[in-house]
Amino acid sequence: MKRHPYLPDPRPQGALGLGHQYYWVANAHEVDMSIAPPAPVPARIAAQPQNVVLDLRRTAIVIIDLQNDFCAKGGWVDSLGLDYTADRTPIEPLQKLLPALRTAGVPVIWVNWGNRPDLANMPPNQIHLYDNGGAGVGLGYPLPGGGGNVLEKDSWAAAVVDELKPIEGDYCVDKHRISGFWDTPLDSMLKNLGIKSILFAGCNTDQCVLHTLTDANFLGYGCVMLEDCCATSSPAFCAEATVWNVKKCFGFVTDSTQVLQALPK
């Protein structure tokens, strides 16, 4: 298996599996399933309602929907006359945080809308969600400025913004609902990577970020929202309620500065 480009690979020849925590070692005569997991790499992070200690070997960051359609001039949100700049606020802190996380061996996972051109897996209720009058610019419609079709896989519209392009070794997941876990391989990928806790970033805080985070919580992952790396074009009270609910019911809230301070020097 190809070595992950920014994570040193301690596994021996014949290792089978994606994770660096759990794998088999095979040769022509034997399969060894007893490989001991590596020692934790703790990171103590100031957070609310309690501080958390994460194992960097078993933590990933999931970044949701920082795509041209939401965050760029000429994208979907801009074409609707809404303030796309509100969704750009995570860009700067993530530009500082992601290189440090990659250096620490934390997988970076991009979870973005990437719909089929024919919308064959999208039921009417999901199409209605974004085109409730039946005549607007909804999923799959051509953008007025010629940037492709709204949130269509492999289009400019659905691409991650230029300032945060994924690099080799990052993982990309196409989603087709507000939650990144619904009808996607995200949960399987996280389990194969040996992930137990997730840092969450992206937009919109009160929609796709929240519901991906809550599903992660229901699946048993430890969930930590990075407040300064999340954004929404919704009214301010929507983000406030989301942060309150995450702290109350679904996990923990911190920011990128606290994570950076907790990483190994």
Side-chain angles (χ1 to χ4, degrees):
M1 177 175 291
K2 183 179 179 182
R3 184 182 68 82
H4 198 283
Y6 56 79
L7 182 63
D9 194 343
R11 301 179 304 174
Q13 184 175 4
L16 305 177
L18 183 63
H20 294 257
Q21 295 76 32
Y22 173 67
Y23 52 88
W24 298 356
V25 176
N27 59 44
H29 307 288
E30 182 180 76
V31 175
D32 185 353
M33 304 180 191
S34 68
I35 307 302
V41 178
R44 289 173 168 81
I45 301 172
Q48 294 180 332
Q50 297 160 282
N51 298 336
V52 295
V53 182
L54 302 183
D55 177 4
L56 296 179
R57 289 190 182 273
R58 296 165 181 87
T59 298
I61 183 169
V62 169
I63 308 162
I64 300 164
D65 291 354
L66 291 182
Q67 300 167 268
N68 289 323
D69 259 345
F70 296 109
C71 305
K73 185 172 180 59
W76 186 28
V77 170
D78 184 38
S79 74
L80 295 173
L82 304 175
D83 181 17
Y84 73 91
T85 63
D87 285 335
R88 293 180 60 83
T89 55
I91 292 175
E92 184 175 353
L94 283 171
Q95 285 176 321
K96 300 175 183 177
L97 179 62
L98 293 183
L101 289 176
R102 292 182 180 116
T103 299
V106 174
V108 175
I109 303 176
W110 303 88
V111 179
N112 297 316
W113 285 94
N115 293 319
R116 293 169 54 99
D118 59 9
L119 299 180
N121 61 337
M122 297 295 292
N125 69 331
Q126 296 300 301
I127 297 173
H128 170 266
L129 175 65
Y130 297 108
D131 185 18
N132 54 29
V137 181
L139 299 177
Y141 283 72
L143 289 170
N149 298 331
V150 172
L151 294 175
E152 185 173 293
K153 181 177 171 60
D154 297 327
S155 68
W156 173 88
V160 175
V161 293
D162 288 341
E163 296 90 340
L164 292 174
K165 287 291 186 185
I167 68 169
E168 182 185 4
D170 291 356
Y171 300 93
C172 297
V173 176
D174 294 323
K175 69 181 179 70
H176 321 98
R177 300 290 190 275
I178 282 179
S179 170
F181 283 97
W182 187 264
D183 194 27
T184 78
L186 179 58
D187 186 43
S188 293
M189 292 170 64
L190 290 167
K191 285 183 167 61
N192 286 334
L193 286 165
I195 299 304
K196 302 297 184 183
S197 54
I198 305 172
L199 305 171
F200 281 92
C203 71
N204 282 287
T205 307
D206 53 320
Q207 297 170 17
C208 294
V209 175
L210 172 63
H211 291 290
T212 304
L213 185 153
T214 55
D215 276 354
N217 171 269
F218 303 151
L219 288 166
Y221 295 98
C223 300
V224 181
M225 173 180 279
L226 305 180
E227 188 172 1
D228 64 330
C229 295
C230 297
T232 184
S233 54
S234 302
F237 69 83
C238 297
E240 293 167 4
T242 299
V243 170
W244 191 90
N245 275 306
V246 170
K247 290 189 288 188
K248 177 67 175 177
C249 301
F250 305 121
F252 306 87
V253 178
T254 187
D255 59 38
S256 63
T257 300
Q258 299 302 328
V259 176
L260 284 167
Q261 290 177 357
L263 295 178
K265 305 303 180 186

